[in-house]
């Protein structure tokens, strides 16, 4: 009997229409856990580095996490992995909702799709019954509308549906995969799904799931439940509202947006409006938000209610969560919060990433003002800000006119347009749009996270370490007094000594060695979450979360029957992390690609940044070019990866790092 995992993958050859239920090797779970770890292993084994995003050989894998479907609160993430059309690297956006648990209950850990269907189809999974069904009648339908139409067609409102909209059908590089109250948005999964002619995947499961040591598992969960209840009634003092609680950022509940609107940049990530948040704006936005949100919603088995059911004016009902309510209005320089709720519905129906797309539209507006786009390019476009963004959104989703260029994202669009457009692409890392943040002093921790993490999107990399030092020593002392989530208590002193200004402030404090230790810890927690399917808002993302390195091993061991401690768990996720690194190195990624946006910080220190990067590489067991050394790979039982890197000339024989 398999515990925690279902023990079967669903293999679908779209070209031939073949469907196979394949039992997995339990040793692979023991080596890579599940979710991200086992998906990376499949991509390494089966997708050659020469494969491009829209090649039939590009696998599209929908995976639940190892603990999805168990009684573990917030273990509900579906991880979608593929070669990205935007970066050319292995991407893995995630979505919440109920889809992952439903797949586990249907008896599968992953749906692995290869090839391309000759016609538009959707996949229907109901336990052992799996069908490839014609989707001609769904062509051109919205991603939200498609979900409802499939439920009606299959006569089961409990079916969970992941679908693409028109943007996915048209292979827009920032096309998302929408599902219930969540979406897999980053790096173009919707485009790959559209290229394979898959409109949707519907799943319903009723099979049992087994835990190896259920009583032990529930004992740990009782402790975690008590902590969740405590944190929900005791928000952290001394931090901005959005960081004071647990769970995915509760943008639907919080109406105080002073921090986002005055600290983040507007338009094409250009200008901070430090005086934007006035009493009038606060009252207006509060009224709009409270009127628009009819009820709060949660993902599967989560107590936090981070999303909202939106019913705003005459806009049809839809689900929204997180920062989406602000991205379009800040990109368009619109001061009315209503615009965010109105355009959000259209964007979700189109199936477009709400973080990248507004920047692309703002980029287009900037090019018009600079004379790089002409009035002819904007022929038929309204002149008001709201109308302009709606018009551009339509063009991008349909790949019409300039929208056909913009649909490739700012990096590729700038290079297709030329004529100086490249300098307006100022906010991408590895060809992917970052958050609209422009700050003053270099932050060494965030420099390393931006530069090196395989997720690429900073919004999915942030961790348990506070984003800035606390002003007073008393506040710092109070914060570290109860901080069991730290992997080692010596980090408390790092935080106590961290000051807003002076010798122990950014950019030289935390010191490079401290930065390496802190970033490696935060990255490790993200990789654990992505393997077990946990919402990062309850683990790797927020401050003082319920789940951490000291209780993860207990839960995983009780669920699966493995006997893991902290060191052995860290070894497992380091194995998948280094394998993922190797995949991207073989796809052409180099040290030169590992740079945050040039204008992200006003005060930069190029020589010091290079030293930081080298130090971090070496800390990870990589050489000065960011390539895992043979010694490191062999420590992780990845000698075969070292052989392949050497064969390809990426890792030179005997190459190691320099001593610092």
């Amino acid at each position: 009997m398999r515990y925690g995992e279902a023990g079967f993958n669903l293999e679908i050859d779209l070209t031939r229409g073949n469907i196979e239920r394949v039992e997995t090797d339990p040793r692979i779970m023991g080596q890579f856990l599940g979710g991200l770890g086992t998906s990376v292993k499949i991509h390494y084994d089966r997708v050659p580095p020469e494969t491009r995003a829209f090649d039939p050989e590009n696998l599209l894998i929908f995976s639940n996490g190892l603990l999805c479907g168990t009684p573990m609160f917030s273990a509900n993430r579906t991880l979608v992995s593929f070669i990205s059309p935007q970066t050319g690297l292995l991407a893995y956006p995630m979505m919440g909702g109920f889809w992952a648990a439903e797949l586990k209950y249907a008896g599968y850990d992953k749906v692995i799709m290869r090839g391309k269907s000759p016609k538009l189809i959707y996949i229907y999974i109901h336990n052992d019954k799996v069908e490839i069904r014609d989707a001609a009648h769904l062509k051109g339908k919205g991603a939200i509308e498609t979900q409802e139409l499939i439920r009606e067609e299959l006569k089961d409102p409990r079916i969970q549906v992941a679908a693409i909209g028109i943007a996915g059908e048209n292979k827009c590089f920032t096309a998302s995969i929408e599902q219930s109250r969540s979406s897999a948005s980053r790096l173009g999964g919707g485009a790959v799904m559209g290229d394979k002619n898959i409109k949707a995947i519907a799943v319903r499961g009723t099979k049992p799931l087994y835990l190896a040591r259920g009583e032990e598992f529930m004992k740990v969960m009782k402790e975690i439940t008590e902590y969740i209840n405590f944190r929900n009634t005791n928000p952290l003092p001394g931090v901005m509202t959005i960081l004071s609680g647990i769970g995915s950022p509760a943008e639907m509940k919080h109406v105080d947006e002073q921090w986002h609107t005055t600290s983040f940049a507007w338009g094409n990530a250009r200008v901070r409006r430090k005086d934007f948040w006035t009493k009038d704006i606060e009252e207006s936005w509060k009224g709009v938000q409270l009127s628009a949100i009819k009820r709060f919603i949660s993902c599967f088995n989560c107590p936090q209610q981070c999303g909202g059911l939106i019913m705003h004016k005459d806009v049809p009902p839809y689900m929204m969560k997180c920062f989406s309510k602000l991205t379009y209005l800040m990109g368009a320089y619109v001061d009315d919060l209503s615009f965010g709720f109105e355009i959000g519905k259209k964007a979700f129906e189109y199936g477009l990433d709400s973080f990248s797309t507004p920047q692309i539209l703002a980029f287009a507006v900037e090019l018009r003002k600079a004379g790089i786009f002409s009035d002819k390019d904007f022929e038929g476009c309204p002149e008001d800000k709201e109308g302009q963004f709606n018009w551009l959104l339509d063009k991008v989703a349909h790949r019409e006119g300039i929208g056909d260029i913009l649909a490739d994202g700012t990096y590729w669009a700038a290079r297709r347009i030329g004529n100086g457009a490249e300098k307006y692409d100022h906010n991408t890392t590895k060809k992917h749009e970052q958050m609209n943040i422009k700050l003053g002093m270099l932050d060494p921790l965030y420099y390393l996270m931006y530069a090196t993490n395989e997720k690429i999107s900073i919004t999915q990399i942030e961790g348990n370490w506070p984003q800035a030092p606390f002003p007073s020593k008393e506040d710092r002392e109070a914060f570290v007094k109860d901080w069991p989530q730290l992997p080692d208590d010596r980090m408390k002193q790092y935080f106590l000594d961290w000051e807003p200004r002076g010798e122990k402030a950014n950019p030289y404090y935390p010191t490079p060695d401290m930065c390496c230790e802190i970033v490696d810890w935060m990255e490790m927690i993200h990789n654990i979450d992505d393997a077990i399917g946990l919402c990062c808002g309850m683990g790797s993302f927020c401050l003082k979360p319920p789940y951490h390195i000291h209780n993860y091993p207990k839960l995983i061991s009780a669920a699966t029957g493995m006997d893991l401690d902290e060191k052995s768990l860290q070894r497992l996720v380091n194995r998948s992390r280094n394998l993922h690194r190797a995949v991207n190195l073989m796809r052409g990624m180099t040290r030169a690609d590992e740079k945050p946006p040039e204008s992200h910080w006003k005060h930069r220190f190029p020589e010091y940044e290079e030293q930081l990067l080298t130090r971090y590489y070496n800390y990870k067991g990589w050489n000065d070019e960011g390539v895992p050394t043979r010694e490191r790979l062999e420590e992780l039982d990845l000698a075969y990866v070292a052989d392949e890197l050497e064969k390809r000339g990426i890792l030179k024989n005997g190459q190691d790092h320099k001593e610092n």
Side-chain angles (χ1 to χ4, degrees):
M1 182 180 289
R2 305 288 277 274
Y3 297 108
E5 61 175 350
F8 290 88
N9 290 339
L10 193 59
E11 295 263 4
I12 301 178
D13 186 328
L14 298 162
T15 304
R16 296 174 176 82
N18 292 340
I19 301 170
E20 290 182 89
R21 181 173 179 262
V22 179
E23 185 173 5
T24 58
D25 185 343
R27 292 175 298 180
I28 300 299
M29 186 273 283
Q31 294 170 342
F32 294 94
L33 289 182
L36 174 64
T38 46
S39 289
V40 168
K41 181 68 165 72
I42 292 169
H43 282 283
Y44 178 86
D45 288 343
R46 295 171 53 179
V47 183
E50 297 74 26
T51 301
R52 302 295 100 188
F54 298 140
D55 290 347
E57 295 79 15
N58 187 12
L59 294 181
L60 178 64
I61 303 177
F62 279 60
S63 176
N64 52 46
L66 179 61
L67 299 186
C68 286
T70 72
M72 182 179 184
F73 290 137
S74 310
N76 52 43
R77 259 38 192 177
T78 303
L79 185 141
V80 185
S81 55
F82 51 89
I83 302 305
S84 166
Q86 197 172 29
T87 65
L89 305 176
L90 178 58
Y92 61 107
M94 290 167 291
M95 56 189 177
F98 290 73
W99 201 96
E102 208 69 42
L103 182 69
K104 185 74 72 76
Y105 296 149
Y108 308 101
D109 297 309
K110 301 181 191 294
V111 182
I112 304 171
M113 292 156 283
R114 61 185 185 274
K116 296 186 184 185
S117 171
K119 63 179 182 179
L120 191 66
I121 55 96
Y122 77 88
I123 297 165
Y124 173 43
I125 304 165
H126 188 180
N127 296 334
D128 295 336
K129 178 182 179 181
V130 183
E131 299 176 357
I132 298 175
R133 299 173 68 115
D134 184 84
H137 59 300
L138 300 173
K139 186 174 178 59
K141 301 294 185 184
I144 302 172
E145 180 186 11
T146 295
Q147 296 174 49
E148 294 305 317
L149 289 171
I150 289 176
R151 289 191 186 99
E152 291 174 9
E153 183 176 315
L154 297 174
K155 297 180 173 58
D156 188 346
R158 295 166 297 181
I159 289 172
Q160 298 303 312
V161 184
I164 61 171
I166 296 170
E169 292 182 29
N170 290 326
K171 296 189 281 189
C172 299
F173 284 12
T174 60
S176 59
I177 301 167
E178 301 293 328
Q179 178 262 139
S180 183
R181 57 212 62 197
S182 191
S183 61
S185 299
R186 303 292 183 272
L187 301 168
V192 174
M193 196 163 161
D195 179 65
K196 291 185 178 298
N197 255 336
I198 308 167
K199 182 66 177 177
I201 309 176
V203 61
R204 177 81 175 103
T206 59
K207 293 184 178 183
L209 178 63
Y210 300 97
L211 301 179
R213 303 191 291 268
E215 184 178 356
E216 180 182 322
F217 187 93
M218 294 310 296
K219 183 179 179 181
V220 180
M221 283 307 305
K222 184 176 184 295
E223 296 171 358
I224 290 170
T225 302
E226 291 171 355
Y227 182 79
I228 290 172
N229 292 336
F230 170 78
R231 280 300 312 277
N232 282 339
T233 54
N234 294 274
L236 294 178
V239 298
M240 60 281 293
T241 304
I242 199 69
L243 299 177
S244 64
I246 54 175
S248 183
E251 289 286 319
M252 297 300 105
K253 288 186 176 180
H254 295 310
V255 294
D256 180 358
E257 290 294 354
Q258 180 175 8
W259 181 58
H260 278 135
T261 58
T262 62
S263 299
F264 287 23
W266 293 58
N268 184 25
R270 291 289 188 182
V271 179
R272 287 175 62 184
R273 300 174 69 183
K274 297 182 181 180
D275 300 323
F276 172 77
W277 194 255
T278 63
K279 190 66 178 175
D280 288 344
I281 288 290
E282 182 178 5
E283 290 301 316
S284 169
W285 281 33
K286 181 178 180 179
V288 169
Q289 183 162 322
L290 294 180
S291 173
I293 298 172
K294 296 308 173 187
R295 63 181 173 88
F296 297 115
I297 55 176
S298 299
C299 296
F300 174 83
N301 196 28
C302 182
Q304 292 311 102
Q305 295 185 316
C306 298
L309 172 62
I310 309 300
M311 297 180 67
H312 183 61
K313 297 182 179 179
D314 58 350
V315 177
Y318 70 103
M319 309 286 189
M320 176 183 273
K321 66 182 297 185
C322 206
F323 193 56
S324 302
K325 73 179 185 184
L326 300 183
T327 53
Y328 284 96
L329 72 86
M330 289 182 69
Y333 282 103
V334 173
D335 295 353
D336 185 355
L337 183 60
S338 288
F339 178 64
F341 290 122
E342 290 162 8
I343 198 170
K345 166 68 173 180
K346 179 192 282 190
F348 293 158
E349 284 285 16
Y350 280 154
L352 281 165
D353 177 359
S354 292
F355 283 69
S356 289
T357 309
Q359 284 192 50
I360 296 167
L361 308 188
F363 163 77
V365 172
E366 212 171 55
L367 292 188
R368 186 187 188 187
K369 289 179 180 177
I372 296 172
F373 273 145
S374 67
D375 289 341
K376 185 177 180 181
D377 292 320
F378 275 72
E379 187 174 356
C381 177
E383 291 303 318
D384 65 291
K385 296 173 182 176
E386 295 93 333
Q388 194 166 226
F389 251 52
N390 273 296
W391 184 85
L392 283 166
L393 185 66
D394 294 340
K395 293 295 182 184
V396 168
H398 291 89
R399 278 194 175 270
E400 293 177 349
I402 59 173
D404 184 47
I405 300 173
L406 297 171
D408 290 349
T410 52
Y411 176 90
W412 295 110
R415 282 144 187 83
R416 284 180 63 185
I417 295 163
N419 196 27
E422 294 89 346
K423 74 176 183 179
Y424 295 87
D425 162 38
H426 65 98
N427 202 43
T428 56
T429 300
K430 297 172 185 171
K431 308 177 181 67
H432 174 60
E433 292 80 11
Q434 293 296 339
M435 279 294 290
N436 52 321
I437 309 171
K438 300 294 175 185
L439 302 172
M441 180 61 68
L442 172 78
D443 182 331
L445 296 170
Y446 274 78
Y447 169 79
L448 290 175
M449 289 190 285
Y450 267 109
T452 65
N453 198 279
E454 307 298 352
K455 282 187 176 181
I456 300 176
S457 176
I458 192 63
T459 56
Q460 297 182 324
I461 300 168
E462 296 175 68
N464 294 170
W465 191 263
Q467 295 186 9
F470 289 6
S472 74
K473 183 178 180 181
E474 291 73 22
D475 288 340
R476 297 196 291 273
E477 288 174 341
F479 191 82
V480 305
K481 192 172 293 183
D482 179 26
W483 201 357
Q485 293 82 358
L486 288 174
D488 194 298
D489 275 353
R490 68 174 176 274
M491 287 187 179
K492 290 181 180 180
Q493 195 62 47
Y494 301 169
F495 186 73
L496 285 171
D497 293 341
W498 192 23
E499 298 177 342
R501 56 191 61 83
E503 291 183 1
K504 291 193 173 180
N506 291 347
Y508 299 113
Y509 194 92
T511 67
D513 287 340
M514 292 175 186
C515 288
C516 292
E517 191 176 354
I518 294 166
V519 172
D520 182 67
W521 157 56
M522 293 196 292
E523 179 189 88
M524 173 186 65
I525 300 300
H526 271 285
N527 277 283
I528 294 171
D529 285 354
D530 299 344
I532 64 178
L534 180 71
C535 169
C536 66
M538 298 292 270
S540 53
F541 183 89
C542 64
L543 301 178
K544 298 189 176 182
Y547 300 103
H548 47 77
I549 189 57
H550 307 304
N551 58 28
Y552 284 125
K554 298 176 184 178
L555 288 165
I556 297 170
S557 297
T560 64
M562 293 193 296
D563 290 316
L564 291 176
D565 57 18
E566 293 173 21
K567 287 186 177 179
S568 56
L569 177 57
Q570 184 173 6
R571 175 180 168 81
L572 289 182
V573 296
N574 273 333
R575 182 179 291 132
S576 64
R577 171 68 171 100
N578 278 267
L579 187 62
H580 194 161
R581 180 85 181 174
V583 168
N584 284 341
L585 289 167
M586 287 190 284
R587 299 195 64 79
M589 186 183 76
T590 68
R591 178 177 176 136
D593 297 310
E594 303 217 288
K595 292 181 179 179
E598 290 293 335
S599 60
H600 183 80
W601 295 284
K602 183 177 180 180
H603 301 289
R604 299 293 296 266
F605 304 83
E607 185 176 340
Y608 181 60
E609 290 170 22
E610 290 300 313
Q611 292 172 3
L612 266 175
L613 191 57
T614 300
R615 186 72 62 88
Y616 188 64
Y617 283 171
N618 297 170
Y619 182 91
K620 300 286 284 187
W622 304 342
N623 66 26
D624 290 356
E625 296 306 311
V627 181
T629 63
R630 173 170 284 279
E631 179 183 5
R632 180 59 170 150
L633 292 170
E634 288 181 348
E635 285 174 0
L636 297 169
D637 301 321
L638 295 174
Y640 60 93
V641 178
D643 293 342
E644 188 65 23
L645 290 173
E646 287 183 354
K647 176 183 173 183
R648 292 177 175 272
I650 297 168
L651 178 62
K652 305 295 190 276
N653 187 29
Q655 187 180 42
D656 207 337
H657 63 77
K658 301 170 186 174
E659 292 298 327
N660 291 294

